[in-house]
Amino acid sequence: DIQMTQSPSSLSASVGDRVTITCRASQSITSYLNWYQQKPGKAPKLLIYAATSLQSGVPSRFSGSGSGTDFTLTISSLQPEDFATYYCQQSHSTPRYTFGQGTKLEI
Amino acid sequence: EMQLMESGGGLVKPGGSLRLSCTASGFTFSSYSMAWVRQAPGKGLEWVSSISSTGNLISNVDSVKGRFTTSRDNAKNSLYLQMNSLRTEDTAVYYCARVVRFGTNWFDPWGQGTLVTVSS
């Protein structure tokens, strides 16, 4: 199975900061990489699909990049509502999927 | 508006069984693969199972093989997860999600989740 490793596991930042979260796959997954945001007690929400495509309705301060094994999620200017946990997911080995362990973004 | 709503969670003893349901609305359910994802308390997301749009292709994570069965009833816009021989480590919030295919795949939307607690 493809393993997904996120770094860091947690991150402290301030409103207005630029933040980058990294996700690394154990083998090439081309661009089959998605990013989700989860707030406490809520279901995950899709942010980015196919490594770089912004889901409809998601603010443009979120962006994704990368291909192969190394990917990043960037938030250009943190807003109060962005403090949450972020997960990457590979869909290269469909119908089997793997998530990263999550990155908790804290104030 | 697309919606998924899970039900059927609860408290069950180790070795027991439980059947989760997920009811879809706002999209053509029969056209989409579906997935179950779980999240143990304080832990990350774990993909559990996927089922194709017709129900003829099912894949499960190794830890639930032989114990969990995913099925669907397209006439009722419903997805099911039959969980047998439950273990304490199956305790989690279980989410259902629609699998969107457009070159690659992603999960959207997700249901609100239903809590399964396995404890004596």
Side-chain angles (χ1 to χ4, degrees):
Chain A
D1 285 354
I2 299 174
Q3 306 302 315
M4 306 301 293
T5 304
Q6 287 181 234
S7 61
S9 296
S10 63
L11 176 60
S12 295
S14 301
V15 172
D17 283 354
R18 179 183 179 90
V19 167
T20 298
I21 298 169
T22 298
C23 180
R24 174 165 289 176
S26 59
Q27 65 187 71
S28 177
I29 57 171
T30 60
S31 296
Y32 288 38
L33 191 284
N34 309 312
W35 289 98
Y36 300 88
Q37 177 193 64
Q38 187 181 35
K39 296 183 179 179
K42 300 295 186 182
K45 171 189 168 185
L46 177 70
L47 296 177
I48 303 282
Y49 61 92
T52 61
S53 296
L54 191 69
Q55 170 69 345
S56 175
V58 174
S60 59
R61 62 182 179 272
F62 290 92
S63 64
S65 64
S67 65
T69 60
D70 295 319
F71 302 87
T72 58
L73 172 70
T74 299
I75 310 172
S76 60
S77 179
L78 272 175
Q79 299 302 301
E81 60 267 30
D82 299 337
F83 291 94
T85 301
Y86 294 84
Y87 294 93
C88 61
Q89 176 205 30
Q90 67 82 18
S91 59
H92 185 269
S93 60
T94 300
R96 300 177 65 85
Y97 303 88
T98 320
F99 291 91
Q101 81 277 17
T103 296
K104 186 174 183 180
L105 181 52
E106 300 174 298
I107 299 173
Chain B
E1 180 189 4
M2 295 180 294
Q3 281 194 328
L4 296 169
M5 182 161 295
E6 303 91 341
S7 59
L11 175 63
V12 61
K13 289 181 166 53
S17 298
L18 211 55
R19 188 197 197 205
L20 306 184
S21 299
C22 169
T23 303
S25 61
F27 64 95
T28 305
F29 180 73
S30 60
S31 296
Y32 291 89
S33 296
M34 298 293 293
W36 288 102
V37 176
R38 68 183 177 183
Q39 185 170 37
K43 302 297 184 181
L45 302 173
E46 180 184 35
W47 166 78
V48 173
S49 181
S50 299
I51 185 168
S52 62
S53 58
T54 59
N56 62 329
L57 291 175
I58 298 169
S59 185
N60 297 316
V61 70
D62 289 348
S63 60
V64 309
K65 283 182 180 177
R67 301 188 300 122
F68 289 12
T69 302
T70 295
S71 62
R72 64 190 296 161
D73 185 338
N74 287 343
K76 294 183 178 180
N77 288 346
S78 293
L79 172 72
Y80 306 103
L81 182 65
Q82 177 67 45
M83 304 186 293
N84 299 329
S85 302
L86 281 160
R87 306 167 179 168
T88 56
E89 56 264 34
D90 296 319
T91 294
V93 174
Y94 285 74
Y95 297 99
C96 63
R98 184 182 70 157
V99 181
V100 179
R101 294 176 179 265
F102 193 73
T104 179
N105 300 342
W106 57 89
F107 293 178
D108 180 65
W110 297 56
Q112 86 288 350
T114 188
L115 176 62
V116 172
T117 303
V118 184
S119 174
S120 55

